[in-house]
Amino acid sequence: MQLDEIDKKLLRLLQEDAKQTSKELSHKLALSVTAVYERVRKLENSGVISRYVALLNKQKIAKDFMVLCHVKLTQHKKEYIQQFEREVMDLQEVTECFHVSGDYDYILKICVRDMEDYRHFMLSKLTSLQHIASTHSSFMIAEVKNTLTILV
Amino acid sequence: MQLDEIDKKLLRLLQEDAKQTSKELSHKLALSVTAVYERVRKLENSGVISRYVALLNKQKIAKDFMVLCHVKLTQHKKEYIQQFEREVMDLQEVTECFHVSGDYDYILKICVRDMEDYRHFMLSKLTSLQHIASTHSSFMIAEVKNTLTILV
DNA sequence: TCAATAAACCAAATTATATTCAGATGGAAG
DNA sequence: CTTCCATCTGAATATAATTTGGTTTATTGA
């Protein structure tokens, strides 16, 4: 789908606050409510906008102890990779998991309550996964930037 | 704020799809529309729900070449840290930046179009930041998991 | 040049949803 | 037992989403 400057501005606005009404958006974009509505629908139908979600304050729910964990597998067999990825999908503490090039195979972002919970997660969940050769945990001192807004 | 099981289920639902109507939610939670509405408002006012956003499909907008870049600073002086973090905030390609413990000081997630754009980003933006001692890029082979849903 | 066409626009009407209101219910504390 | 408070309910109202009908604008090909 071809995006013009109005679409791009609309996407920026919706990525920051999806609860704005079409009327508010229409003012910011200098368009009518209907025009905004049709642009949004088009962006949704074409798949550019994939979905709308609520974001939680991790501190308020005590899940703000975060760790980036580097994982190396024993072998790069397709079977091992698939099994590891399937198992990681089911770990609710793992909010992100990236298969990467370089010294390690995977980088995981883990959100738990505190160090004690992380220890428990490591011992009883992560290291019980199959085919892991080694792990290396980097504790998060600060979440300097975490924007979901991608500037088109 | 104290969360009961209904609140937790509600948060799960809204983290997956924030466009559900109160009526739909009321069915899933076996409550009245008003009861759902008041719970949501409470979660918003207390700050548990921080905001609502639209998510984009990175492939559709050609920003699906992702890199995790490890950065080490020359010194851990407060001034250097602050300057680095301020500068990173302004780089639109950097969607996440974590200050971490360990061998490196920062881990950045970068979203661009392709390798050429990444090269340009590295040469003309990242490495021109002050006080960087070294960087190490891990290219993303696959985004195995990237959920925004935190299970409360 | 100038109709034909399609895309994008607008205002108004309609439909659906969000929000408020006025009680009802059900513990918990005195 | 009764008061209080939190939570709930259905109905009423306010607001927003969505549809409708028609206009403008840009493009294109005869």
Side-chain angles (χ1 to χ4, degrees):
Chain A
M1 177 180 171
Q2 191 60 28
L3 303 173
D4 66 14
E5 286 308 311
I6 298 176
D7 288 320
K8 290 177 185 176
K9 186 170 178 188
L10 178 53
L11 288 174
R12 266 199 297 282
L13 292 168
L14 290 175
Q15 284 184 100
E16 289 300 327
D17 176 8
K19 271 289 160 76
Q20 296 174 85
T21 62
S22 299
K23 194 197 278 186
E24 289 171 312
L25 293 169
S26 72
H27 289 144
K28 293 177 185 173
L29 298 171
L31 277 180
S32 70
V33 170
T34 308
V36 169
Y37 176 75
E38 280 172 355
R39 277 175 182 268
V40 172
R41 184 166 54 178
K42 213 164 174 182
L43 291 165
E44 290 168 354
N45 290 342
S46 69
V48 172
I49 295 176
S50 57
R51 60 192 180 120
Y52 297 90
V53 301
L55 300 181
L56 306 193
N57 180 331
K58 289 197 275 289
Q59 285 175 19
K60 298 269 179 177
I61 55 173
K63 297 284 180 188
D64 59 338
F65 187 86
M66 289 172 279
V67 183
L68 289 173
C69 184
H70 296 63
V71 174
K72 201 184 297 196
L73 297 191
T74 52
Q75 288 181 58
H76 293 168
K77 290 170 66 176
K78 184 177 180 185
E79 182 196 331
Y80 287 8
I81 288 176
Q82 287 178 336
Q83 186 176 358
F84 174 79
E85 294 186 358
R86 208 178 321 115
E87 289 173 331
V88 159
M89 284 297 290
D90 293 335
L91 298 177
Q92 61 172 246
E93 294 89 349
V94 177
T95 60
E96 302 179 44
C97 170
F98 306 120
H99 186 187
V100 295
S101 67
D103 299 338
Y104 286 89
D105 296 312
Y106 292 94
I107 298 181
L108 279 56
K109 184 178 171 194
I110 292 145
C111 294
V112 292
R113 173 188 296 269
D114 52 25
M115 186 64 92
E116 191 186 330
D117 276 11
Y118 185 65
R119 175 179 150 85
H120 180 258
F121 168 77
M122 280 295 280
L123 297 182
S124 71
K125 294 196 179 178
L126 191 64
T127 55
S128 68
L129 297 191
Q130 300 293 302
H131 316 304
I132 291 183
S134 66
T135 68
H136 178 91
S137 298
S138 294
F139 296 101
M140 198 174 302
I141 298 167
E143 205 169 14
V144 175
K145 182 175 189 177
N146 190 353
T147 179
L148 293 163
T149 303
I150 300 169
L151 293 180
V152 187
Chain B
M1 177 182 172
Q2 191 61 24
L3 303 173
D4 65 14
E5 286 309 311
I6 298 177
D7 288 320
K8 291 176 185 176
K9 186 169 179 188
L10 177 53
L11 288 174
R12 264 198 299 283
L13 292 168
L14 290 174
Q15 284 184 102
E16 289 299 327
D17 177 9
K19 271 288 161 76
Q20 295 174 88
T21 64
S22 299
K23 195 198 281 187
E24 289 172 314
L25 293 169
S26 72
H27 288 146
K28 293 177 185 174
L29 298 172
L31 277 179
S32 70
V33 170
T34 308
V36 169
Y37 176 76
E38 280 170 356
R39 278 174 182 267
V40 172
R41 184 166 55 182
K42 214 165 177 182
L43 291 165
E44 289 167 354
N45 291 341
S46 68
V48 172
I49 294 176
S50 57
R51 61 192 178 117
Y52 298 89
V53 301
L55 301 182
L56 307 193
N57 179 332
K58 289 198 273 290
Q59 285 175 17
K60 298 267 181 180
I61 55 173
K63 297 283 181 190
D64 60 338
F65 187 87
M66 290 172 277
V67 182
L68 289 172
C69 184
H70 296 64
V71 175
K72 200 182 298 194
L73 297 190
T74 52
Q75 287 182 59
H76 293 170
K77 290 172 65 176
K78 184 178 181 184
E79 181 195 332
Y80 288 7
I81 287 176
Q82 288 178 336
Q83 187 176 357
F84 174 78
E85 294 186 356
R86 208 178 321 114
E87 290 174 329
V88 160
M89 285 296 290
D90 294 335
L91 298 178
Q92 61 172 245
E93 293 89 347
V94 177
T95 61
E96 303 180 43
C97 170
F98 307 119
H99 186 187
V100 295
S101 67
D103 300 336
Y104 286 90
D105 297 311
Y106 291 94
I107 298 181
L108 280 55
K109 184 179 171 192
I110 293 145
C111 293
V112 291
R113 173 188 295 271
D114 51 25
M115 185 64 90
E116 191 186 329
D117 275 12
Y118 185 65
R119 178 179 148 85
H120 180 258
F121 168 77
M122 279 296 280
L123 297 181
S124 71
K125 295 197 179 177
L126 191 64
T127 56
S128 68
L129 296 191
Q130 302 292 303
H131 316 305
I132 290 184
S134 66
T135 67
H136 178 91
S137 298
S138 295
F139 296 100
M140 198 174 301
I141 299 167
E143 207 168 14
V144 176
K145 183 175 188 177
N146 190 354
T147 180
L148 294 163
T149 303
I150 301 169
L151 293 180
V152 186

